[in-house]
Amino acid sequence: MQAINVSIGFDRRLAAQDLAGSRAHAAMLSKQGVISSEDAAAILGGLDVVEAEMKAGTFPFRDEYEDIHMNVEARLAELIGPAAGRLHTARSRNDQVAVDFRLWVKAACEQTVTQVETLQRALLAKAEANAETLMPGFTHLQPAQPVTFGHHLMAYVEMFGRDASRFRDAVARMNESPLGAAALAGSPYAIDRFATAQALGFDRPTANSLDSVSDRDFALEALSAASIASVHLSRLAEEIVIWTTPQFGFIGLSDAFTTGSSIMPQKRNPDAAELIRAKVGRVLGSLTQLTVVMKGLPLAYSKDMQEDKPPVFEAFDALDLSLSAMAGMIDDLTPNPERMAAAAGAGFSTATDLADWLVRALGLPFRQSHHITGQVVKRAEQLGVGLSDMPLQALQAIEPRITAEVFGVLTPAASVASRTSYGGTAPVRVREQISRWKAKLEKESLG
């Protein structure tokens, strides 16, 4: 029973939050006259000793006390005697763990936002340096239309911006204190839940005592946001893996973010990217794990909910490491502009530019211009040349009204420069988005 019941092995990570909750609760009890000021002073002094022991690594964590709450209370009793027993007045381990866990998840989400923004700044710096660096844009992993490397990186800035927003939204919703809900029905003591909520940095207390102790939506929402962010990290990691292959050769990574082979001395493996790609499984698995724990539970608290913390801890540990590693890789990577530019013109990637020119210059319906362009591409394949190298005579054999002006849109550079619609890949638009995001991140960092 002790082996299956004990949780101190993992919930000791809530020690700081448990001490904060206990301090707020003791101060409130004293102010409300529920316990004496002398007992409150003894409790607060004892909690300071407990905190010091934890920081020094000398705190005696013991399995017989099951969890972090009972370990702290037992040690407090050893330090200050019977007054320690008054700390648990008007609270239960149900609302105690709910407030501890909520504080931990809230802090983890806020820390994740900071890390996401660090990654965004690394992407912005690399994008700004490569606002004009040509590369192929892909659909189905086939060359589609030329873009710039800066534009491609800015797509991830947008993705991670949404991730940061999701974590902020989650924090806003979880920013209510369950402390004082007690076991499930509230407390008969004259407590002030608004005071403890404020002391702990919450906006307000939770409004229903049953919901207060049985809710883990805040953890599920945090894991949902973490899962989406991990998917974004995995997609970028996959591209880094592809781009570093000799077949692509778009970027290089230094020895700081690659590893060698045990038998092949020429290898430089992008292991950091591959591990980020794999760690998404931990995060997605954690969301599923907690969802399954919660899906069949009646109100209010059930012991099943003791299993809520390990998946959350594991997910945020994986996300923390992945975000740090990705920011490091983005700083470290070196693009190969010549290789990218050569690939940008492959696969008749400016075919859409030809179709658009036929619409603009000759007034053709797009569907007709699309058909003509298909014929041009087929003829270029037969001749073994790119679109920009097609003889004018060959073009006019398909559509007599085509003029030499068409060659002004058939190079990758011209194609990229022409995409000036808002959010497009034209360097001027890429730099606008970089400036917008720099200002946005600066504003958010100031508060």
Side-chain angles (χ1 to χ4, degrees), residues 285-308:
S286 294
L287 174 59
T288 300
Q289 184 178 344
L290 183 55
T291 303
V292 171
V293 167
M294 296 302 299
K295 72 173 182 62
L297 299 186
L299 299 181
Y301 181 84
S302 296
K303 192 68 170 181
D304 311 51
M305 293 166 69
Q306 181 169 287
E307 293 297 313
D308 57 359

Side-chain angles (χ1 to χ4, degrees), residues 5 222 288 327 377:
N5 198 47
T288 300
V377 169

Side-chain angles (χ1 to χ4, degrees), residues 323-354:
L323 284 166
S324 297
M326 183 59 77
M329 275 193 295
I330 296 301
D331 280 333
D332 181 77
L333 70 83
T334 303
N336 185 336
E338 293 77 18
R339 192 70 174 265
M340 286 184 175
F348 307 105
S349 64
T350 58
T352 306
D353 297 276
L354 172 57

Side-chain angles (χ1 to χ4, degrees), residues 1 36 61-62 71 75 93 103 108 128 143 146 155 208 222 239 242-243 247 253 282 303 319 378 382 384 432:
M1 181 61 194
S36 69
F61 290 105
R62 287 169 283 193
N71 266 267
R75 181 59 179 150
R93 278 193 291 178
L103 283 169
E128 188 168 29
N208 182 283
E239 296 206 302
I242 292 171
W243 292 342
Q247 290 80 5
L253 290 170
R282 290 179 179 262
K303 192 68 170 181
L319 184 58
K378 185 176 181 180
Q382 293 171 345
E432 283 178 358

Side-chain angles (χ1 to χ4, degrees), residues 92-102 174 176-186 193 204-218 294 299-301 305 308:
S92 160
R93 278 193 291 178
N94 292 356
D95 64 334
Q96 191 176 357
V97 70
V99 75
D100 290 0
F101 195 29
R102 198 174 283 235
M174 74 177 69
E176 297 180 341
S177 172
L179 188 59
L184 76 160
R193 294 189 62 212
R204 65 190 71 84
T206 50
N208 182 283
S209 59
L210 285 167
D211 182 52
S212 300
V213 298
S214 63
D215 167 52
R216 292 299 183 269
D217 288 0
F218 63 91
M294 296 302 299
L299 299 181
Y301 181 84
M305 293 166 69
D308 57 359

Side-chain angles (χ1 to χ4, degrees), residues 364-401:
L364 299 179
F366 184 80
R367 284 304 174 194
Q368 184 180 353
S369 73
H370 184 280
H371 177 70
I372 292 170
T373 300
Q375 292 180 298
V376 171
V377 169
K378 185 176 181 180
R379 182 58 178 153
E381 288 178 325
Q382 293 171 345
L383 295 174
V385 298
L387 294 181
S388 62
D389 297 319
M390 278 280 286
L392 179 60
Q393 185 178 359
L395 291 170
Q396 290 174 336
I398 297 169
E399 171 49 65
R401 289 173 290 175

